[in-house]
Amino acid sequence: MKLFAILLCMSLTVYTLPVAGQVPHAPTPRPAPARPDTARVRRLLQAAQQWSTADIPRAIRLSQQALGLARQLRDSVGEGLALLRLSTLHRRHNDFVLARRLARQAQALFVRRRDRQGQGRAWLQLSLIDMLQGNPVPALASALKGLRLAGQAGDSQTKFRLQATLGDIYYKLGSYDDALHVLQIALDGGQRTGDEQVTLLALNGLGNSFQMLKKWPQALSYYQQALALSRQLGDAIGETGSETSLAEVYGLQGNQAEALAHGLRAQQLVRATHDDYNLPAVELMLARAYLLAHQPDSALALARHGLHLSQQARSNENIRNASDILAQAYAQRQDFAQAYYFRNLHLAYNDTLSGEDTRRRTSRLRYDYELTGKQAQINLLTKTRQLQAQKTARQRLQLRALLAGLAGVLLVAGLLWRNIFLKQRANRHLNEKNTQIAAHRDQLNRTLTELQATQAQLVQREKMASLGEMTAGVAHEIQNPLNFVTNFSDLNVELLAELQDELAQEPASARPAIRQLLEDLTLNQTKIQEHGARADRIVKRMLEHSRTSGGARQATDLNALAGESLHLAYHGWCARNEGFSATLTTDFDPRLRPVPAVAQDLSRVLMNLLTNAFYAVTEKSKHADATYRPEVQVQTRQTDHAVEIRVRDNGAGIPLAAREKIFQPFFTTKPTGEGTGLGLSLSYDVITKGHGGALSMESQEGEYCQFTISLPVGVESVLEEIVA
């Protein structure tokens, strides 16, 4: 979550008492004149609001006094306001459990009083609590409930604040277009009613959404407006959020000087206000700035401390951001084991906050909210029809009584009959409208059923498309060698026929022609064998790709296995390529412990990676100058969580466009006929699926290429669990 959302949600007060000279933001029911004792409750709450930014413990004590006095006086309105004030203060004090309990108590009180305005504000408080804890689904549910109640109560102030909160939730879910739409409505409402906090939250939210859309000028414009408004209001919390947002945008644009300047300013503001809650978010922002400046040590120090504080506060959003920064920082330091660990942690929290399940649940909430609004309209029309029917029935009874008592008053009877006729025509028109509404509702239900069926069909089609793509790849790869086999076989038949004709004539002049035919036939047969062998290799690679390993894991010495595979691969390559020579460099970690693994499968992976390395240096030596010396390196390392094997060559490297596809089946960078495209895909499956490890690649075109095998250390049962 962006820091501005945390800061503004911390400062956003769910309910504020009007101060002297302040004009209410929206027309609300005028309360009855307060008794002297209840007026003291309001004064205590007003004082708690004034101390809420400077001294939170003092504000809590004042609010508790107001709550106790309100309960003593049985002042339910003051009790609800005091509960919401305490909930806001404990939320800002990072005590979410107590804040939620107090908000629930206020909500129950407002439900008993049938106070829709108070219920809407209680739902706003619950939505803010869930949003700060990184729970977008319950936050969205609470915001939609509060929005409906605020609209029914005519509470425009709470409505605009809920819309600003909805915009922030949509941003976190990745629905940036929806976020921009809702936040623009909230901004217009805040500016129209003079609600500076809603205006500030909407400005930062719009800047954040444009930042994610990489529209830097719009993002900077909104952030700068928010910074100016925060300084105008003397709001140090809002100023901190705007400084942080500007630092992030400048960092993403590569302007590290401006990024660090704004980031350090935000850090100074947090320390000056003793804002311990938002300190981890500011430290993570500075850590990202140092990461972009290629200073991983500074980034690691800040990110570790930010992660520790975020785990204490149970802030899922900050934990996800800290894990992402730590993964990138360790990757810059070449510590891939730690990078892999924190990347997995980042992915886990990312799925929790914005995964497919979260998107599906929030979409369902939005659909239910819209459907409930339609249903409310239908219920209102139905109730109106029932009232009209009851009214018509009463009028009929009145008419009969009048006709029985005033049979002679024809003029009055005629007027009454005309009135009844008009009412009946209106009722018929209303019945027709109700029928149309019911038909529209049924049509919506049918459309929903069709959409669900279409969704299921699309899922099945996607599966079939994947299978078809695999089949097409197989057919495409096998087609070329089989075409060669077919074409040269046909040529051999023709050449044999010509050879028979020439032999029948047997003159001495035909012997050179017969000899030429025999040479052509021999060459064609060689081509048939070559392409037939290639088709056989493709089929075998496909079978290896689909075959699961049947070997049992045993404690394997990876140093010995890597050394043996290097020498076998080198001698095999030299046997197939006369005159080839390369420098073999090994760096084996003596602390390497035996790892439970299938030695045959790992040997096959190493042989494949080493063969590719020898191929790369061979190809580069054909075009390089005399100073080039082919070299292949094999290195092993023992870390806290994994064992690594690195295979590196100084060949031509892999182009950037091909790196994302390097582990896909049938993808190869070799010329046609020299590779099947299944070796790296098979190796990837053996390492990741067969051993629960990781296979990664890094390369610089024209300089080097390095493959890293990472196998987790531990007992064999852990590996079995990973495979399962």
Side-chain angles (χ1 to χ4, degrees):
M1 182 174 66
K2 291 285 291 180
L3 177 62
F4 83 88
I6 299 176
L7 293 168
L8 292 179
C9 288
M10 293 283 290
S11 62
L12 187 63
T13 305
V14 176
Y15 180 72
T16 56
L17 295 171
V19 298
Q22 180 179 359
V23 180
H25 296 302
T28 56
R30 184 180 299 276
R35 302 194 307 273
D37 289 335
T38 59
R40 184 166 180 263
V41 173
R42 305 303 187 274
R43 288 196 300 272
L44 287 171
L45 291 175
Q46 184 67 43
Q49 178 184 346
Q50 293 174 354
W51 286 103
S52 60
T53 57
D55 190 349
I56 292 180
R58 184 172 183 178
I60 291 176
R61 290 195 298 271
L62 292 171
S63 300
Q64 289 173 341
Q65 293 177 13
L67 178 61
L69 182 59
R71 287 176 173 172
Q72 180 181 356
L73 299 173
R74 298 183 182 276
D75 178 13
S76 59
V77 176
E79 182 181 358
L81 297 178
L83 287 170
L84 285 181
R85 169 62 56 190
L86 281 169
S87 177
T88 300
L89 292 171
H90 284 292
R91 167 169 58 82
R92 296 181 59 187
H93 205 52
N94 199 24
D95 191 351
F96 296 112
V97 176
L98 181 55
R100 188 186 302 277
R101 183 165 66 248
L102 292 168
R104 289 291 186 189
Q105 293 178 10
Q107 181 191 32
L109 188 148
F110 289 129
V111 169
R112 289 195 301 270
R113 297 186 67 251
R114 298 183 179 179
D115 184 355
R116 293 182 177 179
Q117 185 180 41
Q119 293 178 53
R121 290 169 176 170
W123 282 117
L124 172 58
Q125 179 68 274
L126 291 169
S127 178
L128 292 174
I129 293 171
D130 284 320
M131 184 174 65
L132 288 173
Q133 288 188 293
N135 300 320
V137 176
L140 178 61
S142 299
L144 292 176
K145 293 177 182 177
L147 190 62
R148 186 182 301 111
L149 290 167
Q152 294 173 356
D155 186 359
S156 59
Q157 182 186 53
T158 304
K159 178 181 176 181
F160 291 137
R161 294 189 175 188
L162 281 164
Q163 286 174 336
T165 304
L166 274 176
D168 188 57
I169 296 172
Y170 289 154
Y171 152 72
K172 294 174 199 166
L173 295 171
S175 301
Y176 304 123
D177 292 335
D178 293 339
L180 289 173
H181 175 70
V182 176
L183 288 169
Q184 188 61 54
I185 295 175
L187 177 62
D188 296 339
Q191 292 175 339
R192 186 170 61 253
T193 59
D195 192 337
E196 292 87 0
Q197 289 187 353
V198 171
T199 302
L200 189 59
L201 182 58
L203 286 172
N204 278 289
L206 288 167
N208 191 28
S209 298
F210 279 118
Q211 176 184 338
M212 297 306 297
L213 294 172
K214 297 184 179 180
K215 296 183 178 180
W216 313 123
Q218 294 92 327
L220 287 173
S221 174
Y222 282 110
Y223 286 152
Q224 288 165 353
Q225 293 179 52
L227 180 60
L229 180 59
S230 299
R231 291 175 176 172
Q232 178 183 347
L233 298 174
D235 185 358
I237 296 178
E239 185 178 356
T240 302
S242 300
E243 291 283 1
T244 304
S245 300
L246 287 169
E248 290 185 1
V249 174
Y250 281 120
L252 292 172
Q253 289 183 303
N255 191 344
Q256 302 304 323
E258 288 290 336
L260 287 176
H262 287 282
L264 292 174
R265 173 60 180 161
Q267 188 181 42
Q268 292 174 358
L269 289 170
V270 168
R271 292 176 176 174
T273 56
H274 304 287
D275 192 358
D276 294 334
Y277 179 85
N278 294 302
L279 179 60
V282 173
E283 289 184 343
L284 293 178
M285 176 273 301
L286 283 173
R288 193 176 295 279
Y290 282 121
L291 186 64
L292 293 174
H294 299 287
Q295 300 180 22
D297 293 335
S298 299
L300 282 173
L302 288 169
R304 286 196 196 101
H305 189 249
L307 177 61
H308 175 68
L309 295 177
S310 302
Q311 289 173 338
Q312 288 181 341
R314 297 181 180 178
S315 175
N316 295 339
E317 190 74 17
N318 284 341
I319 294 174
R320 179 183 69 174
N321 294 337
S323 302
D324 181 41
I325 295 171
L326 287 170
Q328 296 184 48
Y330 278 117
Q332 286 188 8
R333 294 183 59 183
Q334 303 295 316
D335 190 349
F336 297 105
Q338 289 291 337
Y340 177 76
Y341 169 78
F342 285 106
R343 179 58 62 196
N344 286 337
L345 183 62
H346 169 258
L347 293 176
Y349 277 92
N350 192 58
D351 289 340
T352 300
L353 295 172
S354 58
E356 186 63 27
D357 181 67
T358 302
R359 293 193 183 94
R360 184 175 66 254
R361 292 166 63 190
T362 52
S363 298
R364 183 62 184 178
L365 286 173
R366 293 174 62 185
Y367 173 79
D368 290 342
Y369 172 76
E370 296 172 358
L371 186 61
T372 302
K374 298 293 183 183
Q375 188 64 40
Q377 295 177 2
I378 295 172
N379 293 337
L380 180 61
L381 290 175
T382 303
K383 186 175 181 179
T384 303
R385 182 183 62 183
Q386 293 174 352
L387 292 174
Q388 290 287 350
Q390 293 174 3
K391 185 177 181 180
T392 301
R394 289 195 301 268
Q395 289 175 347
R396 287 177 179 175
L397 291 175
Q398 293 172 0
L399 178 60
R400 289 173 184 173
L402 288 173
L403 288 175
L406 301 173
V409 188
L410 298 178
L411 180 60
V412 175
L415 292 175
L416 289 174
W417 178 84
R418 180 177 179 274
N419 186 40
I420 292 174
F421 174 78
L422 293 176
K423 293 292 184 181
Q424 289 178 343
R425 185 173 64 181
N427 289 337
R428 286 196 300 271
H429 182 70
L430 182 60
N431 290 333
E432 292 174 358
K433 292 294 183 181
N434 289 335
T435 302
Q436 293 176 1
I437 291 172
H440 184 61
R441 180 191 59 197
D442 295 337
Q443 179 65 28
L444 288 176
N445 290 334
R446 288 193 297 270
T447 302
L448 177 60
T449 303
E450 292 173 359
L451 287 174
Q452 291 174 345
T454 303
Q455 183 181 15
Q457 293 176 2
L458 289 174
V459 172
Q460 184 63 25
R461 288 180 182 177
E462 184 177 357
K463 292 179 180 178
M464 296 303 295
S466 298
L467 180 59
E469 184 179 0
M470 182 69 178
T471 305
V474 173
H476 176 73
E477 289 296 325
I478 295 179
Q479 187 65 42
N480 288 334
L482 290 182
N483 285 341
F484 274 101
V485 172
T486 303
N487 293 336
F488 282 107
S489 297
D490 294 338
L491 288 176
N492 284 348
V493 173
E494 295 178 3
L495 291 174
L496 286 172
E498 293 180 12
L499 180 60
Q500 290 176 355
D501 294 338
E502 292 294 337
L503 288 175
Q505 298 176 5
E506 293 189 30
S509 59
R511 293 178 182 175
I514 295 173
R515 186 179 301 107
Q516 183 63 38
L517 289 173
L518 287 173
E519 292 177 356
D520 293 342
L521 182 59
T522 302
L523 180 60
N524 289 347
Q525 189 62 33
T526 301
K527 290 291 184 180
I528 291 172
Q529 291 175 349
E530 177 184 343
H531 290 283
R534 184 182 175 217
D536 182 65
R537 288 198 306 272
I538 292 174
V539 172
K540 288 180 179 179
R541 284 288 190 175
M542 289 174 59
L543 291 175
E544 291 178 356
H545 199 275
S546 61
R547 185 182 67 233
T548 58
S549 175
R553 292 188 178 85
Q554 297 179 353
T556 304
D557 185 354
L558 295 185
N559 284 341
L561 183 65
E564 180 183 357
S565 300
L566 175 63
H567 289 91
L568 287 175
Y570 179 70
H571 291 301
W573 186 262
C574 290
R576 293 191 302 271
N577 299 270
E578 296 183 1
F580 173 79
S581 65
T583 302
L584 306 181
T585 304
T586 59
D587 183 11
F588 295 152
D589 191 345
R591 302 178 296 111
L592 206 65
R593 298 191 298 268
V595 176
V598 181
Q600 181 181 358
D601 290 351
L602 287 183
S603 177
R604 183 169 55 184
V605 170
L606 288 172
M607 290 291 290
N608 184 40
L609 296 179
L610 290 166
T611 302
N612 288 344
F614 289 133
Y615 175 83
V617 298
T618 301
E619 291 299 314
K620 183 176 180 179
S621 62
K622 294 179 181 179
H623 309 286
D625 53 23
T627 60
Y628 173 69
R629 294 292 183 271
E631 182 180 6
V632 175
Q633 301 177 2
V634 179
Q635 184 185 60
T636 60
R637 283 291 179 269
Q638 174 77 52
T639 65
D640 293 337
H641 303 284
V643 174
E644 294 182 352
I645 306 176
R646 301 173 184 173
V647 177
R648 181 187 180 104
D649 64 77
N650 61 346
I654 297 177
L656 181 62
R659 294 176 190 174
E660 295 181 356
K661 306 177 183 179
I662 197 67
F663 295 118
Q664 293 181 4
F666 297 111
F667 179 81
T668 179
T669 58
K670 298 177 182 179
T672 302
E674 294 189 14
T676 62
L678 292 173
L680 287 178
S681 174
L682 174 61
S683 300
Y684 186 82
D685 287 346
V686 169
I687 298 301
T688 58
K689 298 178 182 179
H691 291 79
L695 178 59
S696 60
M697 181 273 297
E698 62 177 282
S699 177
Q700 182 175 352
E701 191 171 357
E703 297 294 333
Y704 73 93
C705 179
Q706 177 176 295
F707 286 87
T708 302
I709 300 171
S710 180
L711 299 176
V713 296
V715 296
E716 188 170 353
S717 59
V718 176
L719 293 174
E720 293 292 347
E721 181 180 352
I722 294 174
V723 173

